[in-house]
Amino acid sequence: MELEQDPSRQDQRGARSYLKLWTQEKVDFTGKFYNARGAVLDPKPVQKPHPPLLFGGIGPRMLRMAGEYADICMIPAFPNVDNPKSRKIVMDEAHRRQRAGKISMADMAPFPRNPEAKYDRKEYQNHVEAASEAGSKYFITPFPPTNFLGSLLDFAENIIPSFAK
C-alpha cells in the first residue's frame, strides 16, 4: 500500500470512517486508500452517539485534528513540549470548527526514564495539581517499574481522594 505524503490526511479519513461505522447502519466510502461499500459494524457501540475519540500527540497537524474530531485530547508530558501552546492549537481549531466546549483535556505525569526511578508522592501530587489548575478532566499516570503496585496503591489512597469531586 502506498502512503500519502501527508499522513494526517490518512488519519483524518480513518477518523471519519470510524465515526460513520459507529453511527450509521451501512457505510459507503471511496478514497485514495480506504474503500468500503455497504460496510457494517455490529454490534454498534453502547455509548451514544459513539465512544469518545481520544487523540494524543504533540505535532501541529495532530493537535489540529484533535480540535476537529477529539472528545478527549492528551498532550504528552515530554521534555520541551509547550503544553499551553499545544492546548491553544487544539482549542483554536475546535473553535474554528464550532466545537468549542466539546473537548476535554487529559494530562499526564512524565514517564519514569530511569529503570531505577522511585515513586515520589509529592512530585505526582504536584503534577495532578498542575493538571487540575490547567482545567484537565483526565490524568494519566505512568508509575516506575521498581514498585508499580505499591505506587499505584499509594496514588489511589493518598492523591486521588484529594481531587475527587
Side-chain angles (χ1 to χ4, degrees):
M1 172 169 97
E2 177 189 340
L3 296 178
E4 286 191 38
Q5 295 291 4
D6 180 358
S8 68
R9 291 193 63 193
Q10 281 182 271
D11 294 337
Q12 288 172 324
R13 290 184 180 125
R16 280 190 227 117
S17 297
Y18 279 116
L19 291 171
K20 287 180 179 181
L21 285 165
W22 283 339
T23 59
Q24 298 175 14
E25 290 304 312
K26 289 188 178 187
V27 174
D28 292 327
F29 185 83
T30 303
K32 187 171 182 181
F33 296 102
Y34 304 105
N35 295 300
R37 286 198 176 74
V40 175
L41 175 67
D42 275 325
K44 296 289 185 218
V46 173
Q47 293 168 296
K48 299 297 178 201
H50 54 75
L53 286 178
L54 186 149
F55 278 66
I58 58 173
R61 287 186 303 216
M62 188 57 71
L63 294 170
R64 285 191 300 274
M65 271 187 56
E68 183 175 359
Y69 296 105
D71 298 299
I72 304 167
C73 178
M74 196 274 303
I75 300 164
F78 294 150
N80 303 319
V81 171
D82 186 340
N83 195 294
K85 180 180 175 183
S86 298
R87 282 175 181 256
K88 183 171 178 1
I89 292 170
V90 173
M91 294 308 175
D92 285 352
E93 185 66 19
H95 180 76
R96 192 171 84 74
R97 305 277 182 171
Q98 286 81 46
R99 297 190 71 243
K102 294 186 178 180
I103 300 174
S104 297
M105 297 302 291
D107 263 304
M108 68 182 293
F111 277 97
R113 303 243 180 246
N114 177 341
E116 301 301 316
K118 303 281 186 217
Y119 170 78
D120 178 341
R121 181 188 304 160
K122 186 64 180 162
E123 181 182 335
Y124 277 73
Q125 181 141 7
N126 289 341
H127 289 297
V128 174
E129 286 172 359
S132 179
E133 289 169 11
S136 291
K137 185 175 178 180
Y138 302 96
F139 191 78
I140 299 163
T141 311
F143 294 110
T146 51
N147 183 13
F148 183 86
L149 185 56
S151 301
L152 173 65
L153 290 172
D154 184 84
F155 187 87
E157 291 171 3
N158 295 296
I159 297 178
I160 290 175
S162 63
F163 292 93
K165 291 182 180 180

